[in-house]
Amino acid sequence: MEATRVGRALLRARKFLHAREEKPPATRMDLTLPALSLPLERIALVVCVLARERAPVLLEGLVDAEAGRALRHLERLAAMPSAQRQAKVAVEFGERADAANRLTALVEAAPEALRREVLRRLPPYHRSRFPQLGEEALAVEPARVLVALAERRIREATR
């Protein structure tokens, strides 16, 4: 009997309450996005690399002031040679997750002269993985070609 009284009381109470007002659909002004967490140049770089054909259309979706700046970045990035653009991507977005393993494989497979130069040119945070790096290896100045090859192989292994 109690359940019936409570149910009827709720029905009466609902009659007296005003109907809920429906929210109007959100307008474009209501849909404000948070500030960009990446600089526009990095956004343009990603769009240029991943969706080159649709890049201008994708960047036009940004807020007007930012879209213009992003399109200017895109034009500059698209004018770069492919190798320079790839190098910029590698620098901007960092090192590979398996860089340490790839460096270890490089050191193990390289001839002795190249191995010494790779060990000499390693970034400080990777040197701790290679205790065989001795101070005597730092005394001899190698050929420029060997230096360039070692630096390139390190870049390839880490990016």
Side-chain angles (χ1 to χ4, degrees):
M1 194 86 154
E2 286 295 317
T4 305
R5 286 185 193 164
V6 172
R8 286 182 188 159
L10 286 176
L11 286 175
R12 285 187 198 137
R14 285 186 188 154
K15 287 181 185 177
F16 293 115
L17 293 175
H18 296 293
R20 281 187 171 177
E21 292 182 19
E22 292 293 322
K23 277 187 164 180
T27 63
R28 184 171 182 183
M29 297 305 288
D30 294 337
L31 298 175
T32 56
L33 298 174
L36 293 173
S37 60
L38 289 175
L40 285 175
E41 184 179 14
R42 291 182 91 189
I43 293 171
L45 182 60
V46 168
V47 171
C48 180
V49 170
L50 297 178
R52 175 174 263 177
E53 296 80 26
R54 299 181 342 212
V57 175
L58 291 172
L59 291 177
E60 286 174 359
L62 295 171
V63 178
D64 292 337
E66 292 177 346
R69 288 188 4 232
L71 287 171
R72 285 192 297 278
H73 285 301
L74 178 66
E75 290 170 357
R76 185 176 52 78
L77 292 168
M80 287 181 178
S82 176
Q84 188 177 5
R85 199 170 35 253
Q86 289 174 8
K88 185 150 186 70
V89 169
V91 168
E92 289 292 325
F93 294 101
E95 189 173 273
R96 295 176 61 109
D98 62 343
N101 296 336
R102 291 170 57 98
L103 282 172
T104 302
L106 169 65
V107 168
E108 290 172 356
E112 184 60 32
L114 182 59
R115 179 181 302 129
R116 278 196 311 264
E117 193 55 32
V118 165
L119 290 173
R120 181 182 307 161
R121 301 285 173 187
L122 278 177
Y125 48 90
H126 282 297
R127 284 190 185 163
S128 63
R129 290 185 55 92
F130 304 101
Q132 66 265 37
L133 177 63
E135 294 301 321
E136 66 277 356
L138 299 176
V140 179
E141 186 61 34
R144 247 195 261 164
V145 174
L146 193 57
V147 170
L149 180 60
E151 289 176 350
R152 180 177 178 173
R153 297 294 304 267
I154 290 171
R155 276 194 311 273
E156 289 172 355
T158 58
R159 297 186 179 146

